[in-house]
Amino acid sequence: MPMPETPFRKWTLELREPQSLAASDAGAIIRWLPEISVAEYLRLYTGVGEPWKWVDRRLMPPTELATLLAESNRHVATLTTSDGTEVGFTELCRHSSDDCEIAYFGLLPQFTGKGLGRKFFQKVVRKAQSLTDANSRVWLTTCEWDSPAALPFYQRSGFQIVSEEWHVRCAPLDESL
């Protein structure tokens, strides 16, 4: 039996004027990974994205995902607390010398709302800017199926909506993914 299709909005946002997030670095350690296995990546991706039904990477054949993760323009990082507790992850993709996408960003559900996201995101934005030329385009997408706090958070961080599109996805998603 086919699943019903559900329309949802998707926004593309660009960094126009970064906001000072006034977050100290105390307690948040970002680690950019020189390489990451498919299993480790999917563990992080699923841990952060499962509440928001992130499935794109889980639907990719493992060899295709391994190839994608090995690209030199792809950058993955984890966020840990000072005691070594893993709390989130991000993935950047440098598309060109003046274009870097924050492809994925998020915290494990039990760590949201504690101020760690602001600290982590500030560092992610700085890294994205460092991967591109001056006056570069740093951008990301979010949608209605993401955390309700995501869009306002990105806007408070200096990102502005540059496009809004409607998409359709089958729902509910297969819980076995």
Side-chain angles (χ1 to χ4, degrees):
M1 177 176 168
M3 290 187 281
E5 293 183 340
T6 303
F8 66 98
R9 283 185 298 175
K10 180 178 176 180
W11 298 277
T12 300
L13 296 92
E14 288 183 4
L15 181 64
R16 298 298 172 112
E17 295 184 30
Q19 303 300 307
S20 171
L21 300 177
S24 75
D25 287 344
I29 301 163
I30 191 168
R31 184 170 56 103
W32 293 97
L33 308 173
E35 59 184 47
I36 187 167
S37 71
V38 168
E40 179 67 5
Y41 178 88
L42 288 175
R43 183 186 67 76
L44 292 165
Y45 176 90
T46 302
V48 169
E50 192 165 40
W52 315 115
K53 301 199 183 322
W54 291 3
V55 297
D56 298 350
R57 296 291 198 240
R58 296 188 304 173
L59 295 174
M60 291 178 81
T63 54
E64 186 179 328
L65 181 55
T67 300
L68 180 93
L69 294 173
E71 293 174 352
S72 62
N73 65 328
R74 191 106 9 213
H75 305 273
V76 177
T78 60
L79 175 72
T80 58
T81 59
S82 56
D83 69 1
T85 304
E86 192 173 77
V87 299
F89 106 109
T90 192
E91 177 186 338
L92 300 178
C93 182
R94 181 178 168 258
H95 295 286
S96 68
S97 63
D98 60 356
D99 185 354
C100 188
E101 174 188 10
I102 301 172
Y104 291 99
F105 171 82
L107 301 179
L108 295 167
Q110 65 270 32
F111 296 103
T112 60
K114 300 180 187 311
L116 292 169
R118 289 189 318 249
K119 298 170 189 174
F120 188 23
F121 194 68
Q122 188 174 49
K123 292 178 180 187
V124 169
V125 169
R126 274 191 244 141
K127 175 71 170 183
Q129 290 172 318
S130 78
L131 295 171
T132 59
D133 293 338
N135 302 315
S136 60
R137 177 179 181 241
V138 175
W139 61 281
L140 56 83
T141 61
T142 191
C143 71
E144 289 180 315
W145 288 28
D146 208 347
S147 166
L151 181 61
F153 172 80
Y154 296 138
Q155 290 174 312
R156 283 192 311 274
S157 300
F159 283 76
Q160 294 178 3
I161 296 171
V162 294
S163 71
E164 179 179 316
E165 302 170 347
W166 283 93
H167 291 263
V168 175
R169 178 189 260 176
C170 291
L173 295 174
D174 180 356
E175 297 302 323
S176 67
L177 290 176

